[in-house]
Amino acid sequence: MLSLLGLLGGLALLIVLTIRGTNLFIAAPLCALIVALTSSIPVFVGDSNFVTLYMQGFAGFIASWFFMFLLGALFGKFMQDCGAADAVSHWIVGKLGRQNAVIAVILACAILTYGGVSLFVVAFSVYPMAVSLFKDANLPRRFIPAVLAFGSVTFTMTSAGSPEIQNWIPIKFLGTSPFAAWEVSLVVALFMATFGYWWCKRMINAAVANGECFEHQAHDPVIVERKLPHPITGIVPLLVVLVLSFLLHDSLQQLALIVALGGGVLVLVAINYRYFLNIQEAINVGTTGALVAIGNTAAVVGFGSIAKSTDAFQTAVELMTQIPG
């Protein structure tokens, strides 16, 4: 009983601390320590002590996913620095028109994330345009985060074939491919996209009907006027990532994503080199972002390593696996 309370309490505390902005390098080990103490896991003594178990999970995740995070961060940062992400976004807006601000922002995010651009980079790339579109359409700005999140972290994040790590991490454990059950995935993605868009529009229309409108802020981003590459130079690297991951998965398995992202980075640099603002700075920022992202994720994975070593977790797994279906 104490083990179960410690597990649930540690998880709840981790969520609360994360929401409050506590650094995950502090929050995750602290919460994991609470779980360990309530489950009689020794802190320092023995082979299966807290420090050893936590660091096995932490280091194991970095060893498995470092190159994916690094190449993904570089790919996304390069898309941003050379203007390819902006070019794709502008092209979508030009085709749909500013009157369709919501769907334009969603599609811009969806195409970039499904092509392998990190959702963090997508948010930074599309946000200035989203502010401009919502301003022209006089829509409440408080819905911009919802529209950005819907377009980048929902139906494209886990759809079959997506090069995002959320779609690739389970492959190692389930023995499947990134295109597994694509028929079901297509149906689910279409449902998520249509229902989510309808729900966003419903909330925004209700807010407009109540008199809400766009509110200007002093720190609103300004879209810098610069010569952008042709939109096709932003689409081609995305296609390279998708095609390589599809062709090489059977032979390289999880390593196919490294080759796919690496190929996307090389193609992106080759066709857009003259549009880069500062490629060296882009490399520095991208690698730093990759280290922070994988470090934060690994910190939580370390918490999971402690959690799965508890009696309460094993009991929960046994109960779940006995459920029919």
Side-chain angles (χ1 to χ4, degrees):
M1 185 63 181
L2 180 61
S3 177
L4 178 60
L5 291 176
L7 180 60
L8 295 177
L11 181 59
L13 179 61
L14 179 61
I15 294 173
V16 171
L17 292 177
T18 303
I19 292 175
R20 288 181 172 273
T22 304
N23 192 303
L24 278 173
F25 288 107
I26 302 299
L30 176 63
C31 296
L33 180 61
I34 294 174
V35 174
L37 292 176
T38 54
S39 297
S40 301
I41 297 176
V43 179
F44 301 111
V45 182
D47 295 332
S48 298
N49 59 64
F50 165 77
V51 175
T52 300
L53 291 174
Y54 185 89
M55 291 311 300
Q56 283 177 348
F58 185 97
F61 183 84
I62 293 179
S64 297
W65 291 97
F66 173 73
F67 285 110
M68 287 77 159
F69 272 80
L70 176 63
L71 290 170
L74 288 176
F75 182 70
K77 189 59 185 176
F78 283 177
M79 283 282 290
Q80 182 184 39
D81 193 74
C82 73
D86 288 337
V88 173
S89 301
H90 283 179
W91 178 75
I92 293 172
V93 172
K95 292 296 181 182
L96 294 178
R98 293 183 176 271
Q99 68 275 14
N100 296 310
V102 176
I103 190 64
V105 173
I106 292 172
L107 283 179
C109 292
I111 291 176
L112 292 174
T113 51
Y114 195 77
V117 181
S118 167
L119 68 94
F120 302 106
V121 173
V122 170
F124 285 116
S125 298
V126 180
Y127 175 70
M129 184 170 300
V131 172
S132 177
L133 288 171
F134 271 58
K135 176 182 177 182
D136 290 346
N138 199 28
L139 300 177
R141 69 178 300 137
R142 67 185 181 93
F143 290 102
I144 292 178
V147 175
L148 290 174
F150 172 61
S152 59
V153 301
T154 57
F155 59 95
T156 57
M157 187 62 65
T158 55
S159 295
S162 173
E164 299 291 342
I165 62 169
Q166 286 76 8
N167 184 45
W168 281 75
I169 287 177
I171 293 172
K172 176 181 177 181
F173 305 97
L174 301 180
T176 56
S177 79
F179 295 89
W182 66 267
E183 303 91 342
V184 176
S185 177
L186 179 61
V187 173
V188 173
L190 288 174
F191 172 77
M192 293 173 70
T194 53
F195 179 78
Y197 174 67
W198 172 80
W199 188 253
C200 284
K201 286 290 292 181
R202 181 176 182 271
M203 292 191 295
I204 293 173
N205 290 339
V208 172
N210 287 331
E212 291 190 46
C213 58
F214 185 85
E215 296 180 359
H216 300 270
Q217 293 185 1
H219 55 76
D220 279 346
V222 178
I223 300 178
V224 179
E225 293 295 332
R226 56 177 291 197
K227 185 178 180 181
L228 298 175
H230 193 280
I232 194 66
T233 64
I235 297 295
V236 169
L238 304 180
L239 293 177
V240 168
V241 174
L242 293 174
V243 171
L244 286 179
S245 66
F246 176 75
L247 294 177
L248 299 176
H249 175 264
D250 289 339
S251 57
L252 296 180
Q253 297 297 315
Q254 190 173 338
L255 297 178
L257 185 56
I258 296 178
V259 178
L261 288 171
V265 169
L266 293 176
V267 171
L268 182 61
V269 173
I271 62 180
N272 285 319
Y273 185 80
R274 62 193 180 97
Y275 290 99
F276 277 87
L277 297 176
N278 189 331
I279 191 169
Q280 186 60 50
E281 183 180 353
I283 292 174
N284 293 337
V285 174
T287 52
T288 302
L291 290 175
V292 172
I294 196 171
N296 283 330
T297 309
V300 179
V301 172
F303 173 88
S305 296
I306 298 297
K308 73 177 184 180
S309 301
T310 64
D311 295 334
F313 183 85
Q314 300 303 325
T315 302
V317 170
E318 291 176 4
L319 292 174
M320 293 297 293
T321 53
Q322 291 174 4
I323 296 176

